Amino acid sequence: MENVINFNELAAKREQYMLVDIRDTGSFETGHIEGALNLPEYEIQQRMSELPKDRCIAVYCRQGDKAPEAAEMLRENGFDAVSVSGGYIEWLMKKIQTGIEENRVADIERSIQKKFHRSIFSKFTKAITDYQLIQPNDHIAVCISGGKDSMLMAKLFQELHRYSKYPFELTFIVMDPGYSPANRALIEGNAGLLNIPIEIFETDIFGSVYNVQNNPCYLCARMRRGHLYNRAKELGCNKIALGHHYDDIIETILMSMIYGGQVETMMPKVHSANFEGMQLIRPMYLIREAEIKHWCMYNDLHFIQCACRFTDNAASSAPDKESTSKRREIKKLIAKLAEGNPQIEKNIFRSVEGVNLNKIISYKKDGVIHHFLDEYEN
């Protein structure tokens, strides 16, 4: 088809094309082809003035199914436009395969110990030490979703295990809750590139929550957690490790206050309420998201943003779903506040470390509410 090109053709004549990524902003920010302009599908008609008419526009989407329609719309409006077959997924798979063939894992591991030792690895070990996350002879299930956070966590655990002075075991598990074949292949490809020996087990969580109207993401998260605990226990593990980072923590603090009317956060470790003897640990607790992104960019690594069916199907019907989420609102609020005070993030984090119970009207512990009037006269 003359209105469709593949990435090999695009690479051979790259200077002739202006590359346009029509995925949503959140997906673009997570990873994109170098030099591409982000023009989300639902904004094309309003932003056509940003595109040149003296250059061919090469449009790509996530997996090649939506780009042809967008390219046709541009042609109807006087632009020279083609769609790129296979989309970002195909480009990413080629990039991963090239990395495997070039055996880049040694350089990636070296970057953790050298360039990112202070900003990432040292903070990883500090959290483990400060919060006593690992004990001798622990068997930890490192839970990998396929995103940048959990993939980096897996590499950090490998580095720690290599140099640790006390024994502990690692098992790297990936739960497939109903991924598309493309997403599953991306996770397996990146694990191969990074030399992470993953064990995949399957569930049908996406199918169970897909038609749920109220809080499907909350229900999905709870179900995923339960399956991870169960699988980890079957494998003889006593802990599961999740990849929540510093920014997740401070965002949760503000979300709880603003939307939940309470002060709480993600804890560095918790005992499982339903799986006796199991604990959840968060060893990325002190690592900034910006440093994780920096590590990915430095090593030219690209991971999936979110592999759920809602994300796969929402590109045009729900304009930038992520940007309307509560967490994204809080992320923007923190960034805005930090412009005037660079200590904002640190102060939010410290707010749950320095709670003064003498200045709290009431608080709950083990289900019991304690009010300041209870002991006011004393």
Side-chain angles (χ1 to χ4, degrees):
M1 297 174 61
E2 60 181 15
N3 293 325
V4 180
I5 63 171
N6 58 46
F7 280 109
N8 291 333
E9 295 170 320
L10 179 66
K13 302 177 181 179
R14 182 66 180 87
E15 69 282 352
Q16 297 180 18
Y17 295 93
M18 178 176 184
L19 199 56
V20 173
D21 185 326
I22 64 169
R23 297 175 302 150
D24 65 87
T25 303
S27 297
F28 181 83
E29 291 176 351
T30 299
H32 59 270
I33 302 172
E34 185 177 1
L37 169 70
N38 185 214
L39 193 63
E41 181 182 1
Y42 45 83
E43 294 182 5
I44 291 178
Q45 288 186 318
Q46 293 76 32
R47 294 176 56 187
M48 283 186 184
S49 60
E50 299 178 27
L51 300 175
K53 287 196 173 182
D54 59 350
R55 192 176 177 193
C56 186
I57 310 298
V59 181
Y60 75 89
C61 58
R62 186 175 187 276
Q63 51 189 2
D65 55 337
K66 293 179 172 145
E69 183 177 346
E72 182 178 358
M73 180 193 303
L74 290 173
R75 289 193 296 272
E76 290 173 350
N77 284 273
F79 292 90
D80 181 12
V82 297
S83 61
V84 185
S85 63
Y88 179 72
I89 295 292
E90 182 173 311
W91 174 83
L92 187 51
M93 287 302 301
K94 290 179 182 293
K95 198 168 190 64
I96 291 171
Q97 186 57 45
T98 300
I100 293 174
E101 293 170 354
E102 294 175 350
N103 195 23
R104 292 178 48 226
V105 66
D107 291 335
I108 295 170
E109 291 173 346
R110 192 176 300 112
S111 74
I112 292 174
Q113 287 297 346
K114 299 293 184 180
K115 183 174 179 62
F116 295 95
H117 189 277
R118 182 177 180 181
S119 61
I120 291 181
F121 189 70
S122 290
K123 291 186 177 181
F124 180 77
T125 58
K126 178 175 172 57
I128 289 172
T129 301
D130 288 357
Y131 302 122
Q132 301 176 19
L133 302 184
I134 301 178
Q135 301 297 327
N137 301 314
D138 274 346
H139 187 175
I140 303 167
V142 182
C143 302
I144 299 173
S145 66
K148 67 185 191 312
D149 307 327
S150 61
M151 285 291 192
L152 173 57
M153 178 178 66
K155 291 308 298 178
L156 292 172
F157 264 119
Q158 285 183 324
E159 290 298 300
L160 180 67
H161 190 262
R162 188 173 297 156
Y163 300 107
S164 178
K165 296 180 180 178
Y166 54 87
F168 65 93
E169 292 184 60
L170 298 172
T171 298
F172 301 93
I173 64 174
V174 175
M175 181 186 63
D176 183 344
Y179 291 142
S180 67
N183 281 328
R184 170 102 172 220
L186 282 174
I187 294 172
E188 292 174 333
N190 271 317
L193 169 62
L194 296 172
N195 194 27
I196 301 170
I198 58 174
E199 175 180 320
I200 301 179
F201 69 101
E202 299 177 353
T203 68
D204 187 32
I205 293 177
F206 285 170
S208 300
V209 304
Y210 188 68
N211 293 314
V212 174
Q213 297 298 316
N214 297 321
N215 297 319
C217 295
Y218 174 76
L219 177 60
C220 180
R222 286 184 61 88
M223 292 178 69
R224 287 164 71 115
R225 188 78 51 83
H227 279 285
L228 289 170
Y229 268 126
N230 187 64
R231 183 57 178 158
K233 192 161 189 175
E234 289 177 351
L235 293 170
C237 302
N238 65 313
K239 293 178 179 177
I240 66 171
L242 302 184
H244 297 115
H245 50 67
Y246 187 95
D247 294 70
D248 290 327
I249 309 309
I250 62 176
E251 290 161 14
T252 299
I253 295 170
L254 280 193
M255 287 178 68
S256 297
M257 294 174 64
I258 294 174
Y259 300 115
Q262 56 191 349
V263 178
E264 65 177 34
T265 189
M266 294 179 180
M267 297 298 288
K269 63 179 180 181
V270 293
H271 289 286
S272 172
N274 300 312
F275 294 85
E276 186 177 356
M278 297 290 293
Q279 293 185 54
L280 179 156
I281 62 174
R282 295 184 170 100
M284 307 272 282
Y285 208 78
L286 303 178
I287 300 175
R288 296 304 307 264
E289 184 177 26
E291 291 300 329
I292 299 174
K293 291 180 177 179
H294 187 191
W295 176 75
C296 292
M297 291 177 60
Y298 179 82
N299 290 292
D300 196 19
L301 296 170
H302 300 261
F303 303 106
I304 60 174
Q305 176 199 7
C306 175
C308 80
R309 293 180 189 171
F310 297 100
T311 300
D312 282 352
N313 298 330
S316 59
S317 60
D320 201 355
K321 175 185 173 185
E322 183 184 5
S323 69
T324 60
S325 71
K326 294 294 187 289
R327 185 167 291 276
R328 191 155 181 89
E329 289 176 10
I330 291 297
K331 188 182 290 287
K332 290 181 178 179
L333 173 61
I334 293 173
K336 184 66 176 178
L337 293 172
E339 292 176 4
N341 181 357
Q343 297 298 311
I344 282 292
E345 293 101 329
K346 187 177 294 185
N347 289 341
I348 295 172
F349 186 88
R350 287 176 174 173
S351 70
V352 292
E353 291 184 325
V355 177
N356 183 351
L357 293 182
N358 291 322
K359 299 291 185 178
I360 297 295
I361 293 176
S362 67
Y363 66 93
K364 182 187 294 185
K365 182 174 175 59
D366 298 329
V368 178
I369 297 177
H370 302 268
H371 198 278
F372 87 102
L373 289 177
D374 296 341
E375 299 181 358
Y376 181 75
E377 295 300 334
N378 297 326

